Amino acid sequence: VQLQASGGGLVQAGGSLRLSCSASGQAFRGYARGWYRQAPGKEREFVSAITWSGGTTRYADSVKGRFTISRDNAKNTVYLQMNSLKPEDTAVYYCAADPRWVAILSDPRNWGQGTQVTVSS
């Protein structure tokens, strides 16, 4: 069972990207989902999370107002729309899943592979 992240790429500052994180079949149904990122030489950090219902979301202060997380449970996919990108958003972005809301915010149990986002100045 895997979480598959996609949508990364190279974009100029001020541009936009949309990341997707899909899961196969019924995997992670009912789970909260989230995004983390890791920049070179830095620790992995929380970016955003969303509950199974989509009714509650959370964002890191550094991305509030620029990033939007959403999900399509019929497709078992979570999205991260990233607007007004900055060079400091450059990182490998990882998607995650956990049945516990507290855990998705700090220490998710399930991880996908990363997708590289590079923002040029």
Side-chain angles (χ1 to χ4, degrees), residues 18-112:
R18 188 175 83 154
L19 305 183
S20 299
C21 177
S22 61
S24 57
Q26 301 297 311
F28 307 117
R29 293 280 183 187
Y31 281 42
R33 302 273 285 270
W35 290 95
Y36 282 69
R37 67 186 181 186
Q38 187 168 20
K42 295 186 177 181
E43 294 187 353
R44 187 150 49 184
E45 64 175 1
F46 170 79
V47 175
S48 184
I50 188 168
T51 54
W52 164 249
S53 69
T56 299
T57 58
R58 187 74 58 85
Y59 298 93
D61 288 344
S62 58
V63 307
K64 278 182 183 176
R66 301 187 298 120
F67 290 12
T68 303
I69 192 169
S70 61
R71 66 189 300 161
D72 183 341
N73 289 337
K75 296 181 179 179
N76 206 355
T77 300
V78 173
Y79 306 96
L80 186 68
Q81 178 66 44
M82 306 186 295
N83 298 329
S84 301
L85 283 161
K86 304 175 181 179
E88 51 263 44
D89 294 317
T90 295
V92 177
Y93 283 69
Y94 297 89
C95 58
D98 201 286
R100 305 159 296 166
W101 178 244
V102 172
I104 198 68
L105 302 177
S106 60
D107 186 25
R109 187 175 297 168
N110 305 281
W111 292 93

